[in-house]
Amino acid sequence: MKYYYNDYLVELSTKFLTRLNDIKADYNFDYGDEFEIAICEILRTFLPTKFGICRGFVVSRNGEKFGDDIVIYDQLNFPTLKTNSRYDFSRKENVPIEAVYAYIEAKYTLESENFNKSLLQLSNVKKLCLSREKTDIYQVDPCIGTYRDRGNIVESLPKFRNPILGIILSRYCVGVNNKKTENTEEIKQFLKSKYDNIPDNNTAPELVIAGKDNLLTVGYKKENESVPTLFYPDNGLWIGYENLIKVDLVYGIFLSHLMASLNWIRLGQLPWIDMLNEAKLE
């Protein structure tokens, strides 16, 4: 089967895996930090420069914070307190929730314990970011206009323009015996065994990448037809996950899903005026 642009997604997936294998020579992937740094380096070569990438936490205006892995944010308009180089991902940063596009839990080998931990951390991050002021579906200027629930203008897309994308990403995965494997059917059964652990709400991940050939992707069912979506659906229809095997294509799906979601998201404004006034009045 041919995909768009002369098998562009296949080539993306191959290049992602090749780059991971190249970086592995420089890092000990038995440790979580090194794998996270490697993913940051790969994403930095792929994503346009308007998207910042760091390791760290998302933070609300009252100081509440969650996370610990990879944050993608708007670096053109929302600075972090980053003091190291843009290409140095060794330090963890605090990113205001208004600046966050996506959060990625990166695990070298996805297994039962860290899968559950990733679900919890990602759920907390999404819940905090979803507490930010919503951007209206028709709002162009982030400083002008307020959100109004207009329903699902497009059934498969959110009612507002600044959702957060949540992804769990791994290089390898285990089977139901919790031992690392590259057998796609064993991985599929492991993912199936974890369905009940996934939150039944919009704090759940949109995508779970379980090695180079397996994934879970969210969507909804309408008239017995499964419809995949970029974000966790909010249209009131039955929501579930597809457990797919896509040999040598999964990382290309991950990158294209990420870019499509980033293109949809229109962030609001950071409360600079509120911060300024508070500082003046203290």
Side-chain angles (χ1 to χ4, degrees):
M1 180 178 180
K2 284 284 185 181
Y3 296 91
Y4 281 100
Y5 303 114
N6 196 27
D7 282 344
Y8 182 64
L9 288 193
V10 176
E11 187 173 345
L12 269 184
S13 196
T14 300
K15 287 184 175 180
F16 187 97
L17 183 58
T18 299
R19 183 70 181 123
L20 259 186
N21 291 335
D22 289 343
I23 292 176
K24 185 179 179 182
D26 300 324
Y27 293 108
N28 183 351
F29 281 173
D30 289 337
Y31 298 95
D33 286 358
E34 285 75 9
F35 184 64
E36 292 170 22
I37 291 171
I39 296 299
C40 287
E41 290 180 1
I42 295 173
L43 291 177
R44 183 65 286 157
T45 63
F46 174 77
L47 293 180
T49 54
K50 67 176 285 188
F51 301 110
I53 302 161
C54 70
R55 297 166 60 238
F57 307 88
V58 305
V59 188
S60 68
R61 66 171 70 186
N62 64 6
E64 188 178 11
K65 71 177 183 179
F66 290 106
D68 198 25
D69 276 20
I70 299 171
V71 181
I72 299 175
Y73 66 96
D74 180 357
Q75 72 176 2
L76 290 184
N77 298 305
F78 303 108
T80 66
L81 298 179
K82 198 175 181 75
T83 56
N84 48 317
S85 164
R86 181 180 297 178
Y87 302 99
D88 178 3
F89 303 104
S90 59
R91 296 183 183 179
K92 295 191 175 182
E93 303 292 333
N94 293 322
V95 182
I97 59 174
E98 288 83 3
V100 177
Y101 283 103
Y103 177 75
I104 301 173
E105 278 280 320
K107 299 291 175 272
Y108 185 54
T109 301
L110 191 62
E111 44 84 21
S112 187
E113 183 177 352
N114 66 24
F115 185 88
N116 294 336
K117 182 179 178 182
S118 293
L119 285 175
L120 178 60
Q121 291 202 147
L122 192 147
S123 179
N124 286 332
V125 167
K126 290 191 72 177
K127 183 177 180 180
L128 191 60
C129 287
L130 289 169
S131 70
R132 63 195 178 191
E133 186 176 338
K134 292 180 173 61
T135 302
D136 191 74
I137 199 77
Y138 294 127
Q139 192 171 339
V140 177
D141 191 322
C143 299
I144 300 174
T146 56
Y147 171 72
R148 180 161 66 90
D149 187 345
R150 306 171 189 274
N152 293 92
I153 304 299
V154 179
E155 184 182 82
S156 62
L157 290 170
K159 299 174 184 177
F160 53 98
R161 288 298 296 269
N162 61 333
I164 173 177
L165 179 70
I167 296 174
I168 297 174
L169 173 69
S170 69
R171 171 62 183 91
Y172 293 104
C173 189
V174 300
V176 288
N177 59 1
N178 214 36
K179 294 183 179 179
K180 187 165 76 171
T181 180
E182 292 197 69
N183 183 296
T184 55
E185 289 297 334
E186 290 180 7
I187 294 172
K188 187 172 184 177
Q189 290 306 309
F190 168 77
L191 293 175
K192 185 177 180 180
S193 73
K194 290 297 181 180
Y195 283 174
D196 290 342
N197 298 72
I198 300 174
D200 187 21
N201 55 52
N202 61 1
T203 67
E206 277 77 17
L207 201 61
V208 178
I209 303 299
K212 67 183 182 66
D213 299 323
N214 289 76
L215 75 153
L216 288 179
T217 181
V218 76
Y220 63 91
K221 185 167 285 189
K222 183 179 182 181
E223 298 176 353
N224 295 321
E225 179 184 359
S226 295
V227 183
T229 58
L230 290 178
F231 303 98
Y232 195 92
D234 61 0
N235 53 24
L237 296 172
W238 186 89
I239 300 168
Y241 286 85
E242 279 195 281
N243 191 343
L244 301 175
I245 296 173
K246 294 291 182 179
V247 177
D248 296 328
L249 189 60
V250 165
Y251 293 130
I253 291 173
F254 156 65
L255 291 171
S256 59
H257 190 128
L258 177 61
M259 272 309 306
S261 301
L262 296 180
N263 284 337
W264 162 261
I265 295 171
R266 184 180 295 143
L267 294 175
Q269 61 173 324
L270 198 71
W272 291 112
I273 295 176
D274 292 343
M275 289 189 287
L276 175 63
N277 290 338
E278 182 183 49
K280 287 181 177 178
L281 295 172
E282 278 295 326

